[in-house]
Amino acid sequence: MDAFQKNYPERFVQVGIAEANMMGIAAGMTIGGKIPFTGTFANFSTGRVYDQIRQSIAYSGKNVKICASHAGLTLGEDGATHQILEDIGLMKMLPGMIVINPCDYNQTKAATLAIAKHKGPVYLRFGRPAVPNFTPADQQFEIGKAIVLKEGKDVSLFATGHLVWKAIEACGELEKKGISAELINIHTIKPLDNDAVLKSIRKTRCAVSCEEHQRNGGLGDSIAQLLSGQLPAPLEMVAVNDSFGESGTPDQLMTKYGLDSVNIVEAALKAINRK
């Protein structure tokens, strides 16, 4: 795709215009009482049209639901130009914007129904690959309320999106080492469930954040801000470290950039040793 962009730049200009128009039209539809849902790649849904989102949707609190697929490294072979890893940061900095990153199909479906009832702008992020579908099909999605998937006493794992399943795998490996990990699914990054985060860390006294996003501006960043003000504790971040992605299979990229269960286990051990 990088070569395609180089050889056919006019096509990418056309795509940018289309997404900008989509956001403007969606904002306008809310004036007539509609609840518009936009949909395209996360890179095009955020980075390419950030000005339109900020000016036409967020600034006036328009009731638009920005639904973004193909986020993160797991976009795979399309390469770095399409693998946006900054979108959560972009969206969560906009005043009044809700930011949701569900972990599987069932949770994504439940979140879609929930945001339709919410009044105001929402960013709903999801990925491209097939991943395990492990949450209940009949779940009730509550914006801003984290879900404790496993209770533990030695370390808190806060995971979002695709990294929730990786964290589940990591819990099994940690258990083999005699470590009791508490796993919490942070499906809503903004507003962050501060009470759930603080309650868990008061018990375990250390934490690991897990996300398919840059360290800067993501879930770990939000948790670090909370802890620095209310409960100083060791925090390790499993995330992309100030780097663009590249072309490859999702599994290859997640391993190369340190976003798999092995890295979560290593981060948990580091956090425990820092207590």
Side-chain angles (χ1 to χ4, degrees):
M1 296 299 292
D2 292 345
F4 184 86
Q5 180 177 2
K6 180 179 179 181
N7 294 329
Y8 301 98
E10 71 283 354
R11 169 57 180 150
F12 279 75
V13 171
Q14 291 168 4
V15 169
I17 293 172
E19 263 79 24
N21 289 338
M22 178 172 66
M23 294 301 171
I25 291 170
M29 290 176 67
T30 66
I31 298 173
K34 305 295 184 182
I35 306 176
F37 282 67
T38 68
T40 185
F41 283 31
N43 186 37
F44 303 143
S45 289
T46 58
R48 192 174 290 271
V49 292
Y50 193 71
D51 182 64
Q52 282 74 23
I53 294 173
R54 182 185 187 276
Q55 302 299 97
S56 300
I57 296 174
Y59 179 59
S60 52
K62 291 293 192 296
N63 193 29
V64 176
K65 318 306 173 183
I66 302 168
C67 301
S69 66
H70 298 67
L73 290 172
T74 48
L75 176 55
E77 291 83 355
D78 286 358
T81 56
H82 286 50
Q83 294 164 348
I84 193 163
L85 294 163
E86 310 84 37
D87 54 314
I88 290 174
L90 289 169
M91 292 295 105
K92 80 175 189 178
M93 285 189 292
L94 290 171
M97 181 70 71
I98 301 295
V99 179
I100 296 174
N101 188 33
C103 65
D104 66 3
Y105 169 82
N106 285 340
Q107 192 167 77
T108 302
K109 180 179 179 181
T112 302
L113 296 173
I115 67 175
K117 299 176 182 178
H118 173 81
K119 181 68 173 179
V122 177
Y123 178 59
L124 178 64
R125 180 199 213 233
F126 44 95
R128 177 185 199 177
V131 295
N133 188 31
F134 57 92
T135 64
D138 60 348
Q139 65 188 280
Q140 295 298 310
F141 189 93
E142 189 172 356
I143 296 172
K145 292 298 180 182
I147 300 172
V148 179
L149 298 179
K150 177 183 176 297
E151 293 190 355
K153 60 183 178 62
D154 296 324
V155 61
S156 300
L157 306 182
F158 300 103
T160 187
H162 294 149
L163 269 292
V164 175
W165 180 253
K166 298 297 182 181
I168 290 174
E169 294 177 332
C171 284
E173 294 302 313
L174 288 167
E175 189 171 346
K176 293 177 184 177
K177 298 177 182 294
I179 296 172
S180 172
E182 181 153 288
L183 174 57
I184 299 180
N185 175 3
I186 305 289
H187 53 66
T188 305
I189 295 174
K190 181 188 176 186
L192 183 67
D193 191 342
N194 293 347
D195 291 341
V197 172
L198 294 173
K199 179 180 178 180
S200 181
I201 297 180
R202 284 193 179 103
K203 176 171 55 174
T204 64
R205 296 185 295 114
C206 66
V208 177
S209 62
C210 314
E211 60 190 312
E212 187 185 353
H213 188 270
Q214 297 284 0
R215 291 188 183 188
N216 296 327
L219 170 63
D221 225 345
S222 292
I223 293 174
Q225 290 181 46
L226 175 63
L227 295 182
S228 67
Q230 298 194 39
L231 184 65
L235 171 66
E236 295 290 332
M237 299 184 189
V238 174
V240 176
N241 188 16
D242 197 31
S243 171
F244 289 103
E246 61 185 287
S247 182
T249 68
D251 286 342
Q252 288 172 336
L253 295 171
M254 295 291 273
T255 297
K256 177 171 181 177
Y257 288 86
L259 306 183
D260 57 18
S261 58
V262 173
N263 297 102
I264 296 174
V265 170
E266 291 176 353
L269 296 176
K270 287 181 182 179
I272 292 171
N273 288 334
R274 291 175 54 202
K275 286 185 184 183

